[in-house]
Amino acid sequence: MDDTSHNTRPAFWESKVIGIKKLWLATIAGLLLLISGITTLAVVLSSNTHSTDETVNSTTTYAKIQNISQEVTWGGNNMRNKVYHNSGLNKSFVSSDKFGRRANIILPLSYDINSTDSIYTQPLVYTVNNTEYVLVMTTGNNAYVIDGLGGSVVAAENFGIPHRILEDPVFQAAQRAKDGANYQGVCLDIADYVGIVGTAVVDLNSTTAYFFSIAVEAPPNQFNRTMWFHAVDALSLKERSGFPVSIAPTSENNPTLKFDPQLTYQRPALLLHNGIVYGAFGGHCDLDQGWSGWFIGVDPRTGRVTTSWSTQGQAVFANGGGAIWMSGAGPAVDEDGNIYITTGTGLNPSFDGFYDTSYFTANATANVIPTILNEAFVKLQISANGSAKPVDYFLPSQFRTYDYQDFDFGAGGPLILPENFTGPSGQRLAIAIDKPGRILVMDRDNLGGFNRGPSSSSGDECISMFDLGRYVNTTQQIYVGYFNTPTIWSGEKDSYLYVSVKTSNLFALRWNAATWSFEVAGQSDMTFSPRTAQMNSIPGMPVVTESSDGSGGALVWVTDVFDGVYALDAQPDSEGRMKTAFHDAGFGQISRFAVPGVSQTGSGLLYVATNNGTLAVFGALDA
């Protein structure tokens, strides 16, 4: 099962790559720019400096930062609920004139003087020796460790030449075959360069960051790609001994299928669970025929692959599919250690884009989990030998329509609901949201399989379903795709689910414990930019911040690709409005699906990465 190649750094890693600036050269260049008076590209900081014994609170004084978690991951925890309880960011502070953008830090490394790095990863915030650091990784295979309070780049490293999709002849040919006379260039779901796209995970016990990257060889082999697994020091970014290792395993549930880095990309955030690092993988723009979804575990001590499960467990459908991408969200874990993922579109030429329903009906009738799991919500268990095994699943009864119309059930990641949310018989719950905007409340111990429900629910068995897409279409005459992992938050009286809708609003859905379902309680007083109707301009996924003692009011933060970052009152008012407490649009375009980085140690700092190679830092202006 273990096909991991324990390669040391390839030769090109140590060679000079044209266009790569070493950090010290970039620093000198930055100083020269400052001297010449070009200050708009410099780090913009308050004239005051701060000791590490200071932190922000609602009166803009600083308290000592303390470590509260030994694992730093996408969404704040492995349930992926994106609620930060000890952020130091409450409403009274954020809405005051003492809060604002403290810095816009330029990230110095670049491949191409005509373009800047895009950032699809969530900035990860962690504290070591009372200093708050931020880890930022880019599509150009560049990584940075930043002193959050001081605003300085502590370390910067490049991890190989990224793949340039735009110039890849294989992608060009596949796009032409797909578009025919309508061909207008290669799909850029991810920006021009693809290097590090999935958010890393940091283990503070060992001060190590883990991540995957795609790197190519130097010309003339610039489209020959390798998938690397890295283990680096979380402060210096230097590789741990024995790393990186290349990843190319054979599927443990389909021995005819081998992981192919020429067809496969790593989009979801990583998961660190029981000492193993897990990554999920898929294709790009549905272009590469034969791609598959993969769930791969790597032992971070040895680099050995511990599991390599594929969504294409049978070699039935030659064109493959079932990518795990989840708009960048990470696999979620419940209190029993079960892991949840969602999968996307699959293609089957034998049925003109449709699957043979009889295959899934036969499995459902026999209560057998299908070996092919496209367009599905999947529950995985890790066995004693480390291998992953699906133990439950949900497949929409209209999955053929999903495939044909690219509705993509896996456009959002799974969300595990906390214990105060239960079903009619005390069921433990999870949330899934598909691209058409249906929000499904699911029983984690009985996900629903295929076509087990009544016809009134379109054949889908779940605790409840709220069609936010239909609601928005009816009330606003807007039809858009939903690319979201929602955020859940419980206030003093009610609990809310937050979903951002492009060209529309941020919606707050109230949990109704009597019907075990969600209903619209309010929406933001701001509207996402009309330009977010563009495919590559989807708004970010919301996060919630509150004080550790619950005082000061909770806020929902969300980004707009063209219109910056917003902080809104988490509690809708009597008229159903979520009022804006803070807005800043003056620091650059933001990548779609963006999730702000938030401190969990009370520092009162928040970080937003941009699409033009900068990191905006928000916090107290006079500290």
Side-chain angles (χ1 to χ4, degrees):
M1 183 181 79
D2 180 13
D3 292 329
T4 306
S5 175
H6 291 263
N7 295 350
T8 57
R9 285 181 183 267
F12 72 78
W13 231 292
E14 307 299 339
S15 65
K16 287 186 177 181
V17 180
I18 296 175
I20 301 297
K21 282 82 172 176
K22 296 293 186 181
L23 178 58
W24 66 273
L25 288 176
T27 304
I28 292 173
L31 290 173
L32 290 175
L33 287 173
L34 283 171
I35 293 170
S36 65
I38 305 176
T39 59
T40 56
L41 296 179
V43 176
V44 182
L45 290 172
S46 167
S47 59
N48 296 326
T49 58
H50 316 283
S51 73
T52 55
D53 289 331
E54 300 174 311
T55 41
V56 175
N57 60 27
S58 60
T59 58
T60 70
T61 60
Y62 277 71
K64 189 173 182 178
I65 296 173
Q66 298 177 351
N67 290 334
I68 64 168
S69 174
Q70 296 304 305
E71 178 182 304
V72 185
T73 189
W74 187 96
N77 54 55
N78 285 345
M79 294 175 71
R80 310 302 188 184
N81 60 23
K82 303 191 294 300
V83 177
Y84 295 84
H85 297 289
N86 193 32
S87 65
L89 293 163
N90 57 44
K91 181 181 175 181
S92 59
F93 169 43
V94 171
S95 59
S96 73
D97 59 5
K98 296 178 180 180
F99 180 86
R101 177 161 32 101
R102 292 165 46 88
N104 203 23
I105 302 171
I106 294 191
L107 307 177
L109 303 180
S110 177
Y111 268 97
D112 184 345
I113 60 173
N114 296 314
S115 65
T116 52
D117 271 352
S118 295
I119 302 167
Y120 284 83
T121 57
Q122 181 186 18
L124 295 181
V125 185
Y126 47 94
T127 302
V128 179
N129 296 328
N130 292 328
T131 299
E132 182 163 293
Y133 296 101
V134 188
L135 177 64
V136 180
M137 295 186 166
T138 78
T139 58
N141 269 338
N142 296 318
Y144 306 88
V145 175
I146 294 164
D147 180 339
L149 196 61
S152 60
V153 178
V154 175
E157 285 287 330
N158 171 259
F159 293 95
I161 307 172
H163 174 226
R164 192 170 196 192
I165 293 177
L166 193 63
E167 297 178 352
D168 191 322
V170 174
F171 278 86
Q172 290 174 348
Q175 191 75 61
R176 285 192 175 93
K178 181 179 180 180
D179 296 347
N182 297 320
Y183 175 75
Q184 295 181 346
V186 175
C187 167
L188 294 178
D189 268 2
I190 300 298
D192 194 356
Y193 291 111
V194 178
I196 303 169
V197 185
T199 300
V201 64
V202 177
D203 180 8
L204 289 180
N205 288 309
S206 61
T207 323
T208 303
Y210 304 103
F211 61 97
F212 291 94
S213 73
I214 291 176
V216 301
E217 300 176 12
N221 299 314
Q222 67 268 34
F223 302 116
N224 186 21
R225 307 192 286 280
T226 301
M227 184 70 69
W228 296 95
F229 176 77
H230 301 266
V232 304
D233 185 280
L235 299 181
S236 69
L237 295 176
K238 300 302 181 184
E239 293 274 10
R240 299 298 190 191
S241 177
F243 291 90
V245 296
S246 61
I247 301 296
T250 296
S251 169
E252 63 194 13
N253 58 320
N254 183 356
T256 66
L257 184 63
K258 187 175 177 63
F259 183 95
D260 186 350
Q262 311 307 313
L263 302 177
T264 312
Y265 289 89
Q266 202 282 310
R267 180 66 182 97
L270 273 62
L271 168 68
L272 176 59
H273 177 57
N274 286 342
I276 301 298
V277 178
Y278 295 97
F281 303 79
H284 176 76
C285 286
D286 300 344
L287 290 180
D288 292 319
Q289 303 302 296
W291 87 90
S292 175
W294 290 83
F295 182 79
I296 295 176
V298 181
D299 187 330
R301 298 163 296 182
T302 64
R304 181 181 68 88
V305 170
T306 62
T307 189
S308 54
W309 178 80
S310 168
T311 60
Q312 303 301 302
Q314 264 185 358
V316 174
F317 303 139
N319 277 19
I324 309 171
W325 69 286
M326 305 190 302
S327 296
V333 182
D334 68 17
E335 59 269 32
D336 295 330
N338 301 301
I339 299 173
Y340 300 82
I341 58 172
T342 58
T343 69
T345 304
L347 302 173
N348 175 22
S350 301
F351 295 94
D352 189 25
F354 292 109
Y355 287 113
D356 182 1
T357 306
S358 63
Y359 167 77
F360 295 99
T361 300
N363 281 278
T365 301
N367 200 28
V368 174
I369 297 174
T371 59
I372 298 167
L373 286 166
N374 301 339
E375 307 284 18
F377 191 105
V378 183
K379 179 179 181 179
L380 298 168
Q381 283 185 352
I382 305 300
S383 64
N385 67 2
S387 62
K389 177 184 178 181
V391 294
D392 202 358
Y393 78 106
F394 170 83
L395 182 75
S397 58
Q398 302 298 316
F399 72 93
R400 296 192 299 174
T401 302
Y402 276 65
D403 263 356
Y404 187 71
Q405 298 188 19
D406 192 27
F407 279 174
D408 222 339
F409 192 78
L415 172 64
I416 305 300
L417 295 185
E419 60 186 10
N420 56 310
F421 294 85
T422 58
S425 301
Q427 296 99 323
R428 301 179 300 175
L429 305 178
I431 290 287
I433 179 170
D434 57 22
K435 196 182 291 185
R438 297 193 316 161
I439 298 170
L440 284 77
V441 178
M442 313 180 78
D443 178 356
R444 283 192 262 140
D445 298 307
N446 179 18
L447 291 180
F450 171 65
N451 213 24
R452 296 179 188 167
S455 58
S456 60
S457 64
S458 301
D460 291 337
E461 181 179 358
C462 55
I463 299 295
S464 65
M465 188 273 290
F466 177 73
D467 196 335
L468 180 60
R470 179 173 295 179
Y471 174 88
V472 173
N473 179 251
T474 301
T475 60
Q476 301 183 9
Q477 289 74 56
I478 295 174
Y479 177 80
V480 296
Y482 291 72
F483 303 79
N484 254 285
T485 301
T487 298
I488 195 78
W489 173 75
S490 294
E492 292 183 5
K493 296 182 178 180
D494 295 307
S495 297
Y496 297 94
L497 190 76
Y498 303 101
V499 184
S500 52
V501 182
K502 67 179 183 178
T503 74
S504 181
N505 305 83
L506 178 75
F507 282 84
L509 308 181
R510 182 187 294 110
W511 173 248
N512 187 328
T515 60
W516 314 285
S517 62
F518 289 98
E519 57 196 18
V520 174
Q523 61 196 62
S524 59
D525 62 0
M526 50 72 67
T527 302
F528 291 112
S529 167
R531 288 184 289 175
T532 59
Q534 301 174 34
M535 176 61 182
N536 287 326
S537 305
I538 298 161
M541 297 186 231
V543 303
V544 173
T545 64
E546 61 182 2
S547 299
S548 57
D549 60 2
S551 65
L555 294 170
V556 185
W557 298 79
V558 67
T559 59
D560 183 310
V561 170
F562 300 104
D563 204 21
V565 62
Y566 289 87
L568 302 119
D569 195 333
Q571 178 75 48
D573 65 17
S574 59
E575 297 180 355
R577 294 177 302 177
M578 299 170 64
K579 295 181 180 179
T580 299
F582 176 80
H583 176 222
D584 186 344
F587 57 95
Q589 185 171 310
I590 304 170
S591 296
R592 61 184 184 155
F593 316 127
V595 181
V598 186
S599 167
Q600 297 197 71
T601 54
S603 72
L605 297 176
L606 180 133
Y607 307 88
V608 179
T610 73
N611 213 15
N612 57 348
T614 65
L615 178 72
V617 183
F618 298 89
L621 295 175
D622 61 348

